């Protein structure tokens, strides 16, 4: 991959700020780039052809205008606030399996031309193609809440959210020693043009309110966290999850852990609770299903298409179309309209997570999963909202079916190898004794391999919960969601200290 040398900068746009302060978002991304930066359709057409001038098969422009804010409260004061605005364009050229990429944060034609020619240098076929005439397209759905977007909300209203979460955690119990609450919001204007004639745009809000609490009892310190958000506006924190609820759950977890024991290690029956266990599905199952790892033969799922990889009661899908979720997208970062994609159906592998390049090489169809962190990166196959479909069993019946075992509720993180082997750290778990949750457990790890665990799923609950995360891959971070119902795993290794 070729990168066009440049330095990042931030830029203030009075044009945009004036509209945000008036509570009116700019009407249309094409309008924004043309009127604020002078980027015309004719100019984009020329750039796409220049990018193909050395013989590439496909060229693409990815324009981005991104504005973000954050507010952090700790030690009873507003400790930090930040504001960042970035603008730029990435130019991609594909020739066979090779990708050339250039980018610049200077949207003058000469600078964009230099980026396009840099990307074009990966192909030297002695002939060139002309880009097709650009035609404006629109996504067939709007799944974001752009009403009362936080980026266009008064600063005092944001402070009220952060303070409410902070005070809720602080006042939950006298043993709460330390609290941190922070709010992040952003608005992302995306414009994509490619040599196939596509011209499409998207305006994406993103919000997350996070609370972290530390409890202390006679020197025994424990911590808990909770968060809420998505592609939502202020109404989310009034109608779906209040800041008080976020703060309370963070503090509650920290206090429960004060009485937690270390786990009984060894192989045992494990019940994964709904929601936070989504991180395991994301890391241990989702990443091996990304098409780039499979076309390169580095995934445990390579060459298993059509084969049984899980118990027949397991179905896993990708769904970027779920309204207002953190990983949801109207279009992906290649301009492909998103869709729900079944990956594992009744235990059988039926599809991979595809972007344009991997789909072309594997002779499959793009699934709307080409994503990138920002204009400085080429898109790669990424998860959005990854879900293990719910089953028919009552979650309480699942716990009642276990005579002795371990229940995993929240996590600290984990590691997964290409071989599918994984280790996850559990923040809060419970011992299961005679079909009931008894003592809280800390310092536990879950150890296994993905295909083994998928085949050991014996009961799937009829509930569902979701984990909000930020996924890192090849130096790029993107927002994601992962969902699971309550799951019973017949055999799994629990690591611990006893």
């Amino acid at each position: 991959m070729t990168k066009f040398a440049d330095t990042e900068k931030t830029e203030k746009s009075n044009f945009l700020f004036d509209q945000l302060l008036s509570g009116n978002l700019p009407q249309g991304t094409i309008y924004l780039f043309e009127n604020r930066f002078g980027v015309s359709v004719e100019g984009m057409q020329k750039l796409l052809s220049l990018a193909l001038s050395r013989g590439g098969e496909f060229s693409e422009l990815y324009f981005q205008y991104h504005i973000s804010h954050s507010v952090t409260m700790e030690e009873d004061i507003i400790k930090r606030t930040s504001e960042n605005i970035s603008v730029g364009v990435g130019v991609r050229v594909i020739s066979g399996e090779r990708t050339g990429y250039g980018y610049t944060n200077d949207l003058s034609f000469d600078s964009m031309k230099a980026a396009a020619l840099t990307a074009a240098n990966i192909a030297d076929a002695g002939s060139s193609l002309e880009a097709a005439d650009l035609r404006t397209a629109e996504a067939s759905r709007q799944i974001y809440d752009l009403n009362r977007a936080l980026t266009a909300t008064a600063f005092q209203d944001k402070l009220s959210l952060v303070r409410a979460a902070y005070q809720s955690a602080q006042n939950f119990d006298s043993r709460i020693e330390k609290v941190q609450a922070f709010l992040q919001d952003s608005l992302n204007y995306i414009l994509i043009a490619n040599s196939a004639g596509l011209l499409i745009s998207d305006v994406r809000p993103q919000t997350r309110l996070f609370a972290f609490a530390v409890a202390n009892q006679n020197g025994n310190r424990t911590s808990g966290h909770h968060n809420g958000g998505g592609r939502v506006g202020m109404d989310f924190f009034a109608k779906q999850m209040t800041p008080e609820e976020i703060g309370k759950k963070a503090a509650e977890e920290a206090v429960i852990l004060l009485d937690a024991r270390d786990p009984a290690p060894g192989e045992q029956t494990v019940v994964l609770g709904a929601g936070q266990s989504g991180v395991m599905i994301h890391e241990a199952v989702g990443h091996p299903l990304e098409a780039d790892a499979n076309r390169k033969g580095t995934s445990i799922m390579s060459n298993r298409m059509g084969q049984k990889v899980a118990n027949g009661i397991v179905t896993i899908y990708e769904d970027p179309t779920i309204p207002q979720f953190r990983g949801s997208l109207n279009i992906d970062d290649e301009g492909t309209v998103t869709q729900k994609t079944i990956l594992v159906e009744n235990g059988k592998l039926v599809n991979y997570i595809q972007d344009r390049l991997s789909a072309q090489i594997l002779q499959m169809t793009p699934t709307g999963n080409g994503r990138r962190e920002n204009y400085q990166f080429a898109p790669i196959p990424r998860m959005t909202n990854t879900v293990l479909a719910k089953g028919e069993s009552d979650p309480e019946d699942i716990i009642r079916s276990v005579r002795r075992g371990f229940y995993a509720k929240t996590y600290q993180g984990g590691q997964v190898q290409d071989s599918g082997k994984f280790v996850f750290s559990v923040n809060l778990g419970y011992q299961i004794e005679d079909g009931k949750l008894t003592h809280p457990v800390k310092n536990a790890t879950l150890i296994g391999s993905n295909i083994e665990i998928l085949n050991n799923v014996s009961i799937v609950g009829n509930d569902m919960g979701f984990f909000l995360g930020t996924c890192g891959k090849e130096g790029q971070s993107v927002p994601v969601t992962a969902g699971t119902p309550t799951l019973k795993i017949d055999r799994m290794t629990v690591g611990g200290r006893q």
Side-chain angles (χ1 to χ4, degrees):
M1 178 182 296
T2 303
K3 285 191 174 181
F4 179 68
D6 206 340
T7 56
E8 184 179 11
K9 68 179 183 180
T10 60
E11 177 174 334
K12 287 186 178 294
S13 165
N14 292 330
F15 171 82
L16 184 58
F17 271 118
D18 288 346
Q19 297 187 63
L20 293 179
L21 288 172
S22 68
N24 297 314
L25 300 178
Q27 298 301 307
T29 304
I30 296 176
Y31 170 86
L32 171 66
F33 280 100
E34 183 166 11
N35 287 274
R36 173 66 178 85
F37 301 104
V39 177
S40 66
V41 173
E42 292 75 17
M44 289 187 277
Q45 192 81 54
K46 290 179 182 176
L47 291 168
L48 290 167
S49 291
L50 283 169
L52 294 176
S53 61
R54 301 295 298 274
E57 302 157 358
F58 173 83
S59 63
E60 172 192 78
L61 308 174
Y62 180 88
F63 292 91
Q64 181 182 33
Y65 192 107
H66 183 257
I67 179 170
S68 63
H69 302 112
S70 70
V71 181
T72 300
M73 183 172 183
E74 58 182 311
E75 298 175 352
D76 296 338
I77 60 173
I78 299 299
K79 197 85 170 186
R80 290 179 296 277
T81 65
S82 69
E83 174 184 273
N84 183 270
I85 299 173
S86 63
V87 62
V89 60
V91 185
R92 179 171 63 148
V93 175
I94 295 177
S95 179
E97 297 189 14
R98 294 182 298 168
T99 296
Y101 203 76
Y103 65 85
T104 178
N105 57 7
D106 179 354
L107 296 190
S108 67
F109 185 82
D110 286 344
S111 184
M112 293 191 291
K113 176 181 175 181
L117 292 175
T118 299
N121 282 331
I122 60 102
D124 190 6
S127 62
S128 62
L129 300 173
E130 286 293 324
D133 291 341
L134 290 172
R135 298 178 299 277
T136 303
E138 294 184 0
S140 57
R141 64 177 75 88
Q142 173 54 268
I143 56 175
Y144 318 139
D145 182 5
L146 286 166
N147 295 317
R148 302 184 69 208
L150 265 78
T151 304
T153 297
F155 185 63
Q156 288 300 325
D157 291 339
K158 297 181 187 182
L159 291 182
S160 296
L161 292 178
V162 175
R163 287 192 175 110
Y166 185 95
Q167 291 168 359
S168 175
Q170 190 177 49
N171 296 332
F172 178 77
D173 190 285
S174 60
R175 292 169 291 180
I176 293 297
E177 178 184 63
K178 180 180 179 182
V179 175
Q180 182 186 67
F182 62 89
L183 176 69
Q184 298 171 326
D185 68 85
S186 66
L187 200 60
N188 207 5
Y189 289 81
I190 302 298
L191 177 62
I192 301 168
N194 69 34
S195 58
L198 176 69
L199 180 61
I200 195 166
S201 62
D202 203 12
V203 182
R204 303 167 180 167
Q206 187 67 259
T207 298
R208 195 179 194 185
L209 178 60
F210 192 97
F212 174 82
V214 175
N216 182 3
Q217 182 172 271
N218 301 322
N220 174 29
R221 288 184 172 83
T222 55
S223 63
H225 57 85
H226 198 71
N227 69 99
R231 300 199 183 278
V232 299
M234 283 291 287
D235 288 348
F236 173 86
F237 297 107
K239 299 177 180 178
Q240 298 186 50
M241 184 180 292
T242 65
E244 290 83 1
E245 182 181 356
I246 292 171
K248 176 186 174 183
K249 287 189 173 181
E252 185 176 47
E253 180 173 304
V255 170
I256 290 173
L257 282 166
L258 288 173
D259 297 320
R261 303 174 178 178
D262 287 335
E267 188 175 86
Q268 53 194 285
T269 300
V270 172
V271 175
L272 304 181
Q276 291 286 314
S277 298
V279 67
M280 289 190 65
I281 299 303
H282 174 94
E283 298 289 352
V285 182
H287 279 299
L289 294 175
E290 291 170 333
D292 49 352
N294 284 281
R295 67 179 169 82
K296 295 172 184 174
T298 59
S299 168
I300 188 70
M301 296 293 183
S302 299
N303 302 314
R304 289 178 179 264
M305 189 61 66
Q307 297 180 16
K308 181 177 179 296
V309 296
N311 189 318
I313 61 174
V314 173
T315 291
I316 299 171
Y317 59 90
E318 258 283 308
D319 192 357
T321 71
I322 303 174
Q324 301 177 15
F325 271 30
R326 180 170 167 79
S328 297
L329 294 168
N330 290 325
I331 58 172
D332 72 0
D333 292 329
E334 299 178 306
T336 303
V337 176
T338 53
Q339 62 181 27
K340 179 179 178 179
T341 302
I342 304 294
L343 303 170
V344 176
E345 186 171 30
N346 299 324
K348 182 188 295 186
L349 178 61
V350 296
N351 209 342
Y352 293 133
I353 297 167
Q354 300 278 1
D355 66 348
R356 171 186 283 270
L357 178 60
S358 291
Q360 176 180 302
I361 294 170
L362 292 171
Q363 298 183 330
M364 299 177 75
T365 302
T367 57
N369 289 89
R371 303 188 68 186
R372 56 184 119 198
E373 179 174 318
N374 57 44
Y375 70 90
Q376 298 180 14
F377 297 92
I380 51 178
R382 304 296 296 268
M383 285 170 275
T384 57
N385 306 313
T386 311
V387 183
L388 194 152
K390 65 183 179 181
E392 299 177 350
S393 298
D394 186 312
E396 293 186 2
D397 288 341
I398 294 176
I399 295 171
R400 274 194 286 267
S401 72
V402 180
R403 189 180 70 82
R404 187 174 182 82
F406 178 76
Y407 178 87
K409 183 174 177 62
T410 65
Y411 297 78
Q412 295 177 345
Q415 295 181 333
V416 184
Q417 302 174 5
D418 289 341
S419 63
K421 294 182 179 178
F422 62 76
V423 177
F424 285 91
S425 297
V426 177
N427 194 50
L428 173 60
Y430 287 89
Q431 192 169 337
I432 305 176
E433 297 174 297
D434 297 325
K436 297 179 180 177
L437 300 184
T438 56
H439 304 291
V441 175
K442 61 183 180 181
N443 300 321
T445 55
L446 298 177
I447 305 165
S449 66
N450 50 15
I451 291 181
E452 176 188 9
I453 297 306
L454 286 173
N455 279 284
N456 286 339
V457 174
S458 59
I459 308 179
V460 181
N462 59 11
D463 54 347
M464 180 61 69
F466 292 92
F467 162 81
L468 279 62
T470 299
C471 174
K473 176 182 174 183
E474 298 183 11
Q476 300 192 49
S477 297
V478 296
V480 296
T481 308
T484 55
T486 299
L487 300 172
K488 180 181 178 181
I489 314 293
D490 281 342
R491 296 183 304 281
M492 195 171 185
T493 299
V494 177
R497 295 179 179 176
Q498 289 185 341

